[in-house]
Each structure stands twice: as structure tokens, then as C-alpha cells.
């Protein structure tokens, strides 16, 4: 069957856009093909710095003929309704429609519309230019005299269609005065000559000969493998950096790995400064020696095969890195010359948010909040206040001004250098964490205090000015802050009730539900445990775990069945008489041993569950509930709830209500599925 080859050749596409663009191209083309009736077998997209490419295999030569049935108005309907039906069905007369009968609706008109298929090339020549025009680049540009937008100037379009053993045809269309063809180009410097291509196999092979590795993942593998082998030969290891690897693979079409070095004297700088400097300025990988220390070497990924073995390229990178590390050393020495708190007055000149004041005002709030939180998490209030005061001071330093991603970390270095206690210095760095699901959380009391203060101030502040996340929009990273609070509390086993307004508490609930579900908790168990007033993250987490354990046992499953039976009986009776059964159980009205046994068991378990819950022992509480299985089963086997004696019936309903209330002490079992 025929295949489609599409390549959009342009000036350099920013690395951060490439993978998404390849996915978008594949999705746009394949969706349009299916909509046009061209069902395909497979599709794969590729991207390099200068091209987006797509191959779609197993396409038919034309779309199938179709027959559509269009239902019209009733026979005898007003003429405007008839005319509208004729227009929509493409009929010139109502005589061309058929009359069908429905036993309930009577006679009505039906049009049977035959639509012949179309040649795939004709359909593609209409589909492809629209896809180019509507392509969802995050940023695009216009050039020349036209109105066409693309991420960078588009230079050539290859679009061929044909079967394996046939000469393919060019899909004819124009875009921004560029006509489609079957000519592409290889590496900008190593093989710039035009290349005529027919279909994907010879296209990919021709590009490989022209020094272009088409697959971005293969380029990543080449870079990683060659870098590791080059480092190993020198007794070094590459510092893994997936983000940098992805970026570098998007900067080169023919990766060639080399190693450079810098003056070991620069190793006196914090290693994070060196790594950030080399990464940001030259997109190079740093290395460690056999002892795990940062080595005075780096890995370069060039986009060419140099005739001198890369000597000039290496020297150029070394020269730039030497200059940038010299700048970093200047900033570092300058920052160390002044106490960290020296930068605090400058925070008064920095607006945090127009409605929330300056960064200095925020520091004042953090200090106050840290003093309140510290006793609750076992931290010394004075040390927590000191850490909170210094937490944002490094924002005014030269190093953080140059590398904002080092905020907090540089504060720790500077705090330690000026003799601050280790827990205060650590808190300055850790108060930003966790920054994501795989990031570490603070574990020392002072760090926990300042991290919670930072995130809770952020959340309560933006809630107060009604700047809440909407849809996917979250410019102030409030979802991340809430998830950070949840992780800090849960992973440190903290009893830390969230005393926040209901709307913000509900926001925490949504984040916690997602966290628990990602960890494998059933959604219905999470819903059963969380109520609108639940403000203890650790308690919720422990209840979900204990409830899951209970319901994984036979006793739990059978108890849940008994609960449902009791709840259904109560719901029916309460609805019938418009009342709620909450009365005390009269021991004198218990006629059968099974109801007496259940009454005594429920009373005993109720008291025991309350005791366990007050001690935050939810596994113990669930274990107590599990003991109700046998008396509940025996009750429903032997006892008829709706007895003829109304007093006995009400007493038995009150007993079931007592059972329901006892189980609700730990979770709302009515929300549990299955």
C-alpha cells in the first residue's frame, strides 16, 4: 500500500519546541487522514534542528465510497422545513427522498446520499496546507511579504505519495509561496547539497549519508554513549542531566562528542556554580572523578566533524568557560564579602506581587509564621525565625542574579560561610523544596518550619486576593506549593492540622486525592475518608491505608456488605416516615440472642473505636470494626428488622443506626464502591 512522506525543512527550530512539534505534526496529519476516510497502518514523526518529518504507511490510494442516510421532517411538514432538508441533503426535489414509517412518529422523509470516494493525493493536497497554516507553535514568526507563520523561515517542503515498487508522486500544494516537491538538504556544513528523495526508506538513508541523524532519540543515545565512553577512558563519569541531553540532541544533526578542561583552581567554587555556569553558557556536561568529586573537565557535543580533530572547537569552549567561571568567581567572592542579611533592605525594593507587597514584607510574614509553626513541628522558634529571615536574602546576591536557579542553595553556602548554625543554613536552601514529585523534602525541624511557612504564606496570600489556579493556568505554582505541604507533612509523619479557609482546604483535598490515587489508593476509599472539614493530612493518609487493609480481608468485605444492607434498610424506612433513627437501643426490647449480641458488640466497638481514633491509631480502629462481622452476619441471618411490633421494629432500626454511626467514626462507608 502507498505511504506518505512529508518533510518541512526550515531554519533552526528551538530545541525546546522540537519533540512537541513532532508529536503535533503526527497528530494533526493522522487525525485529518482518518476524518477524510484514509485509514492508515502506522505513522512516525521525526525532528532535527532543521526539519520536521513524518512517514505514514499503509494508506489507501483513495477514500472509500460512502452511503449516508439523512432523516428529514414528517410528511406534510411546513414547506420551510422541507426546503431546509433538501438543502442539507443536496436534493433538488422532495421526490428524490424516500418515505419511511415509524409506528410512533408516523411517516417521514429520508434521503440516501451516495458520496463517491476521492483520490488520496487530492485529499492530501487539501489537508496538508491547512495543517501548516494552523500548526500550533508556542511561538512563531512571519517573514517575507506573506501572512504565513512558522517557528522559523520555512525553506522547502517535501511531500511524496506512492507504493513501494512505484515512482511516487509529489502531492501538489503551495504554502507561503513554497511549492511542494521532493528535494531536501543534508547537514548545513558537511553535506549542504540538495537531495532528491522518493519515499521514507531512501530519505532516511540519504540523510544519514549526508550527516543527519533523523531520530532525536538516536541522537541522544549517540551523545550519551560516546560521552560515557570518552569519560571512562579518562577515569571519569558523566553527571547525568536528562534535560541537557534532550536540549543538546535538539541542537545538533550529526553529534560529535569531545572533551575539554578548565583550570582546577576554579574547583574552589561550589560545584553547583560550576555546573550551572558550564551548562547555561556552553550546553556542556560536567564530570566527576573516581572519588565522586567534580573534575576539571567537561563534555562538548559538536555538530560537525572537524578536520583538526576538534582542537579549535575545544579551545573555543575552554576560552568561553574560563571567562564565565571567572565571572562566577567574581560574584561569589563579592557575595561572601558581605553578611547575608546585608541584602534584606534591598528586598524592600523588590515587589513580590502588587497586592501582596514587597519581598521584604513577605520575609516579615515568614518570620511571624515560622514562630507559630515551630512548636508544632518540634523546632526551636528563635532558630526558625532566624532561618526565615535569611531565607530570601540571597535573592539580592550577584550569583543568584546570574543564576536564579541557584536561589536557596547559594543562601546555604553564604549562611554557612558567615557561621550560621548548620540547621539554619540548611533551612535556607531546603525551604523551597520539594520542587516536584521526585524532589526531596525537608526533614530537619527548622527546615520543615520555614518550608511550610513559605508555602502556606504563598497559598493563603493568593487565596486572599482571589488569584487561584484556573484550568491549566497556575502562574504562581500554587498547585506545586500545596503538593509540597502535603508531602512535607505526610513524609515526616506530622500532626499539623491545616487551619485555612474552606475553599483553600478543598484545594488541598483535591491535591491530596491525586497524590493518594497516584500511590495506588482506590478513589472511593479516599472519598470515604475525606470530608469537607478534614484538615489533618497525616490522619487522612493513615485512614486510607487502614481502610484499604480492612477491605482487603474477608471480614472487611463481609462487614461492608452488612453495612450496605443496614444502610439500605435505614434509608428506605427514614424516607418512608421522613425521619432519622437516632434513638437509644432499649435492651428490654431485644427479643433474639442475635440482636442482643449485636447490640453489645456495637457498644463495645463504638467505645474502642473512639479510643483508637483519639490516639490516631486507625489500624486499631479498623481492627475493632472487623470484629463486627460475625454479629452482623448472625443478625441478618436470624432477625427480621421490620417486625410487626412497631416498638421492636423501631428498636431494631435504632440498633442499625448505631451500627452505621459506629462505622462512620472512621470513614463514610456509603461512598465505597464494589
Amino acid at each position: 500500500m502507498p505511504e506518505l512522506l512529508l518533510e518541512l525543512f526550515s531554519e533552526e527550530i528551538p530545541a525546546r519546541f522540537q519533540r512537541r512539534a513532532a508529536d503535533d505534526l503526527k497528530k494533526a496529519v493522522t487525525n485529518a487522514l482518518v476524518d477524510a476516510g484514509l485509514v492508515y497502518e502506522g505513522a512516525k514523526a521525526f525532528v532535527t534542528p532543521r526539519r520536521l518529518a513524518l512517514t505514514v504507511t499503509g494508506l489507501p490510494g483513495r477514500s472509500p465510497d460512502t452511503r449516508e442516510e439523512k432523516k428529514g421532517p414528517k410528511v406534510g411538514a411546513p414547506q420551510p422545513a422541507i426546503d431546509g432538508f433538501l438543502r442539507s441533503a443536496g436534493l433538488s426535489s422532495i421526490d428524490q427522498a424516500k418515505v419511511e414509517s415509524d409506528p410512533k412518529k408516523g411517516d417521514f422523509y429520508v434521503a440516501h446520499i451516495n458520496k463517491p470516494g476521492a483520490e488520496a493525493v487530492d485529499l492530501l493536497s487539501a489537508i496538508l496546507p491547512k495543517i501548516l497554516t494552523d500548526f500550533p507553535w508556542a511561538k512563531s514568526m512571519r517573514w517575507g511579504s506573506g501572512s504565513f507563520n512558522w517557528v522559523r523561515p520555512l525553506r522547502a517542503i517535501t511531500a511524496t505519495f506512492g507504493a513501494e515498487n512505484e515512482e511516487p508522486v509529489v502531492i501538489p500544494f503551495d504554502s507561503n509561496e513554497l511549492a511542494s516537491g521532493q528535494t531536501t538538504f543534508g547537514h548545513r556544513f558537511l553535506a549542504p547539497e540538495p537531495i532528491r528523495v522518493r519515499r521514507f526508506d531512501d530519505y532516511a538513508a540519504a540523510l544519514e549519508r549526508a550527516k543527519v541523524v533523523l531520530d532525536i532519540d538516536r541522537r541522544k543515545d549517540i551523545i550519551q554513549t560516546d560521552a560515557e565512553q570518552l569519560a571512562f577512558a579518562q577515569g571519569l563519569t558523566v553527571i547525568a542531566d536528562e534535560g541537557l541531553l534532550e536540549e543538546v540532541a535538539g541542537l545538533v544533526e550529526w553529534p560529535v562528542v569531545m572533551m575539554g578542561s578548565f583550570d582546577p583552581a576554579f574547583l574552589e567554587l561550589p560545584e553547583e556554580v560550576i555546573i550551572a555556569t558550564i551548562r547555561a553558557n556552553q550546553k556542556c556536561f560536567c564530570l566527576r572523578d573516581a572519588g565522586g568529586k567534580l573534575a576539571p573537565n567537561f563534555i562538548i557535543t559538536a555538530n560537525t566533524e572537524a578536520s583538526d580533530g576538534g582542537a579549535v572547537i575545544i579551545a573555543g569552549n575552554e576560552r568561553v568557560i574560563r571567562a564565565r567561571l571567572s565571572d562566577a568567581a567574581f560574584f561569589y567572592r563579592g557575595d561572601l564579602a558581605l553578611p547575608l542579611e546585608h541584602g534584606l533592605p534591598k528586598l524592600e525594593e523588590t515587589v513580590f506581587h502588587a497586592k501582596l507587597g514587597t519581598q521584604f514584607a513577605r520575609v516579615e510574614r515568614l518570620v511571624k509564621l515560622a514562630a507559630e509553626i515551630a512548636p508544632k513541628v518540634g523546632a526551636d522558634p528563635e532558630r526558625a525565625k532566624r532561618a526565615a529571615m535569611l531565607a530570601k536574602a540571597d535573592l539580592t546576591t550577584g550569583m543568584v542574579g546570574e543564576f536564579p536557579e541557584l536561589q536557596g542553595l547559594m543562601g546555604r553556602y553564604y549562611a554557612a560561610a558567615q557561621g550560621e548554625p548548620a540547621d539554619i543554613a540548611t533551612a535556607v536552601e531546603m525551604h523551597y523544596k520539594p520542587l516536584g514529585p521526585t524532589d526531596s523534602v525537608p526533614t530537619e525541624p527548622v527546615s520543615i518550619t520555614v518550608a511550610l511557612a513559605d508555602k502556606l504564606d504563598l497559598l493563603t496570600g493568593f487565596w486572599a486576593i482571589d488569584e487561584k489556579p484556573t484550568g491549566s493556568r497556575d502562574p504562581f505554582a500554587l498547585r506545586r506549593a500545596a503538593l509540597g505541604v502535603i508531602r512535607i507533612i505526610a513524609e515526616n509523619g506530622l500532626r499539623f492540622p491545616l487551619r485555612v479557609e474552606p475553599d483553600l482546604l478543598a484545594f488541598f483535598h483535591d491535591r491530596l486525592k491525586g497524590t493518594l490515587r497516584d500511590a495506588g489508593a482506590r478513589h472511593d476509599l479516599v472519598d470515604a475518608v475525606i470530608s469537607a472539614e478534614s484538615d489533618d493530612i497525616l490522619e487522612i493518609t493513615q485512614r486510607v491505608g487502614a481502610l484499604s487493609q480492612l477491605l482487603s480481608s474477608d471480614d472487611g468485605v463481609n462487614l461492608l456488605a452488612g453495612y450496605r444492607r443496614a444502610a439500605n434498610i435505614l434509608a428506605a424506612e427514614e424516607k418512608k416516615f421522613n425521619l432519622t433513627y437516632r434513638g437509644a437501643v432499649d435492651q428490654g426490647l431485644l427479643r433474639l440472642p442475635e440482636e442482643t449480641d449485636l447490640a453489645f458488640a456495637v457498644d463495645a466497638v463504638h467505645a474502642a473505636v473512639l479510643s483508637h481514633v483519639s490516639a490516631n491509631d486507625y489500624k486499631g480502629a479498623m481492627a475493632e470494626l472487623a470484629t463486627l462481622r460475625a454479629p452482623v452476619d448472625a443478625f441478618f441471618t436470624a432477625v427480621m428488622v421490620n417486625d410487626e411490633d412497631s416498638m421492636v421494629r423501631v428498636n431494631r432500626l435504632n440498633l442499625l443506626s448505631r451500627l452505621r454511626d459506629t462505622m462512620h467514626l472512621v470513614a463514610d462507608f456509603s461512598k465505597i464502591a464494589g
Side-chain angles (χ1 to χ4, degrees):
M1 294 183 74
E3 72 171 37
L4 165 68
L5 170 62
L6 175 67
E7 185 203 66
L8 308 170
F9 184 81
S10 69
E11 299 299 330
E12 274 73 5
I13 304 168
R16 65 185 183 278
F17 295 162
Q18 289 178 21
R19 192 175 291 274
R20 172 68 181 272
D23 292 341
D24 286 342
L25 180 64
K26 177 181 174 181
K27 181 179 179 181
V29 172
T30 54
N31 285 352
L33 290 173
V34 173
D35 290 344
L38 297 173
V39 180
Y40 62 95
E41 291 180 359
K44 190 169 183 180
F46 302 88
V47 63
T48 80
R50 296 204 298 160
R51 72 200 76 228
L52 276 175
L54 175 71
T55 175
V56 184
T57 57
L59 279 165
R62 62 179 287 121
S63 62
D65 299 338
T66 60
R67 179 179 174 85
E68 178 185 348
E69 182 180 282
K70 189 174 186 65
K71 187 176 180 180
K74 291 182 179 180
V75 174
Q79 192 59 40
I82 300 292
D83 294 341
F85 168 62
L86 294 176
R87 286 193 298 272
S88 65
L91 303 180
S92 57
S93 168
I94 196 64
D95 295 335
Q96 294 175 302
K98 293 185 177 181
V99 176
E100 295 188 5
S101 297
D102 186 289
K104 295 182 179 179
K105 298 181 179 180
D107 295 340
F108 57 91
Y109 294 110
V110 174
H112 295 283
I113 306 167
N114 295 317
K115 291 186 177 180
E119 295 296 324
V121 171
D122 295 335
L123 293 171
L124 286 165
S125 65
I127 287 170
L128 296 181
K130 186 176 188 308
I131 287 173
L132 268 64
T133 300
D134 298 339
F135 201 80
W137 291 109
K139 291 184 179 180
S140 59
M141 61 184 295
R142 186 182 302 171
W143 67 97
S145 58
S147 60
F148 180 76
N149 285 284
W150 200 248
V151 65
R152 292 292 184 271
L154 199 58
R155 298 307 188 198
I157 300 171
T158 293
T160 65
F161 182 82
E164 183 177 355
N165 298 320
E166 300 174 358
E167 182 65 24
V169 298
V170 172
I171 300 166
F173 68 92
D174 294 327
S175 182
N176 195 41
E177 301 180 357
L178 274 178
S180 58
Q182 55 187 128
T183 300
T184 188
F185 300 86
H187 192 281
R188 184 186 289 275
F189 306 114
L190 299 176
E193 298 80 12
I195 302 169
R196 185 177 184 275
V197 296
R198 300 171 66 247
R199 55 181 51 83
F200 180 75
D201 286 345
D202 71 277
Y203 164 77
L207 286 181
E208 190 82 17
R209 291 192 297 271
K211 307 299 184 182
V212 174
V213 178
L214 186 60
D215 188 342
I216 188 171
D217 289 319
R218 185 166 160 245
R219 295 199 300 276
K220 287 177 67 174
D221 288 341
I222 291 170
I223 295 166
Q224 184 170 13
T225 301
D226 289 357
E228 289 174 350
Q229 291 178 351
L230 185 57
F232 180 77
Q234 302 294 323
L236 305 173
T237 57
V238 181
I239 297 176
D241 189 333
E242 177 61 28
L244 180 59
L245 181 60
E246 177 82 6
E247 182 178 9
V248 171
L251 296 174
V252 298
E253 290 193 316
W254 191 254
V256 178
V257 172
M258 309 169 187
M259 182 182 292
S261 62
F262 58 85
D263 188 343
F266 286 120
L267 293 175
E268 295 179 0
L269 290 168
E271 70 170 40
E272 296 89 349
V273 171
I274 297 172
I275 293 170
T277 300
I278 293 175
R279 186 189 198 280
N281 290 285
Q282 294 304 105
K283 312 302 181 189
C284 293
F285 297 89
C286 290
L287 302 158
R288 295 194 186 279
D289 61 23
K293 295 182 179 180
L294 193 66
N297 304 87
F298 56 89
I299 293 290
I300 309 158
T301 307
N303 189 32
T304 188
E305 293 176 343
S307 58
D308 63 356
V312 172
I313 294 173
I314 292 171
N317 278 270
E318 289 177 341
R319 185 168 57 252
V320 174
I321 286 174
R322 184 186 315 116
R324 298 288 78 80
L325 288 177
S326 295
D327 291 342
F330 173 79
F331 289 131
Y332 186 60
R333 287 192 295 268
D335 292 340
L336 285 175
L338 296 171
L340 190 54
E341 57 261 47
H342 181 81
L344 289 174
K346 296 180 183 179
L347 293 178
E348 295 192 67
E349 304 168 8
T350 306
V351 176
F352 170 62
H353 187 279
K355 296 181 181 179
L356 295 174
T358 64
Q359 283 283 9
F360 186 79
R362 183 155 192 252
V363 167
E364 291 181 314
R365 293 196 301 272
L366 293 185
V367 171
K368 181 180 178 181
L369 195 51
E372 297 173 2
I373 293 173
K376 301 176 182 178
V377 301
D380 178 87
E382 293 305 315
R383 294 169 90 89
K385 288 166 63 178
R386 175 69 176 170
M389 186 186 75
L390 297 177
K392 306 295 181 183
D394 69 346
L395 296 177
T396 65
T397 62
M399 187 62 72
V400 173
E402 185 74 8
F403 298 108
E405 67 271 23
L406 297 182
Q407 59 187 296
L409 174 68
M410 296 313 302
R412 173 171 67 81
Y413 277 112
Y414 298 147
Q418 71 184 32
E420 297 290 342
D423 57 346
I424 291 177
T426 300
V428 172
E429 176 188 8
M430 296 298 293
H431 85 280
Y432 287 108
K433 294 179 176 290
L435 294 175
T438 61
D439 197 16
S440 59
V441 301
T443 56
E444 296 181 3
V446 175
S447 296
I448 291 170
T449 299
V450 184
L452 287 175
D454 181 65
K455 293 163 180 57
L456 290 172
D457 174 75
L458 189 74
L459 289 159
T460 56
F462 281 105
W463 244 253
I465 62 173
D466 200 27
E467 287 277 3
K468 306 166 187 175
T470 55
S472 60
R473 185 176 176 274
D474 187 10
F476 305 109
L478 301 182
R479 292 188 180 95
R480 185 177 71 188
L483 288 169
V485 171
I486 289 168
R487 285 192 60 200
I488 291 170
I489 292 173
E491 293 182 28
N492 285 291
L494 299 176
R495 290 290 164 198
F496 189 83
L498 298 170
R499 307 303 188 194
V500 296
E501 62 173 275
D503 189 36
L504 179 52
L505 186 59
F507 183 73
F508 274 107
H509 288 168
D510 288 341
R511 309 281 80 72
L512 179 58
K513 287 177 181 179
T515 299
L516 291 173
R517 290 167 187 167
D518 289 345
R522 283 169 42 183
H523 69 88
D524 56 331
L525 303 192
V526 177
D527 291 338
V529 165
I530 295 181
S531 68
E533 297 78 26
S534 300
D535 64 358
D536 190 323
I537 299 296
L538 184 62
E539 176 186 319
I540 293 170
T541 303
Q542 291 176 340
R543 286 194 187 214
V544 170
L547 183 57
S548 178
Q549 184 175 343
L550 172 67
L551 294 178
S552 65
S553 68
D554 290 340
D555 284 345
V557 172
N558 286 321
L559 179 61
L560 177 61
Y563 166 86
R564 286 207 181 95
R565 188 170 179 182
N568 289 338
I569 293 171
L570 282 168
E573 293 300 309
E574 288 173 341
K575 182 179 180 181
K576 184 187 303 182
F577 298 104
N578 193 26
L579 53 81
T580 300
Y581 289 95
R582 286 286 187 269
V585 177
D586 186 341
Q587 302 294 329
L589 291 173
L590 298 174
R591 301 285 178 84
L592 299 175
E594 289 82 5
E595 59 182 323
T596 301
D597 290 344
L598 180 59
F600 281 109
V602 168
D603 282 345
V605 168
H606 191 97
V609 167
L610 282 176
S611 176
H612 284 292
V613 168
S614 65
N616 300 316
D617 178 14
Y618 302 105
K619 288 186 177 179
M622 296 295 178
E624 292 290 345
L625 288 184
T627 65
L628 290 173
R629 175 202 173 171
V632 168
D633 288 350
F635 176 88
F636 282 116
T637 300
V639 178
M640 174 68 70
V641 176
N642 290 322
D643 194 86
E644 293 181 357
D645 186 326
S646 61
M647 294 180 65
V648 172
R649 177 176 57 81
V650 169
N651 198 53
R652 289 173 178 172
L653 290 169
N654 284 334
L655 174 56
L656 295 184
S657 177
R658 178 72 166 167
L659 170 66
R660 179 178 62 185
D661 292 346
T662 298
M663 295 185 68
H664 281 185
L665 291 174
V666 290
D668 185 350
F669 282 77
S670 67
K671 295 181 179 179
I672 298 175

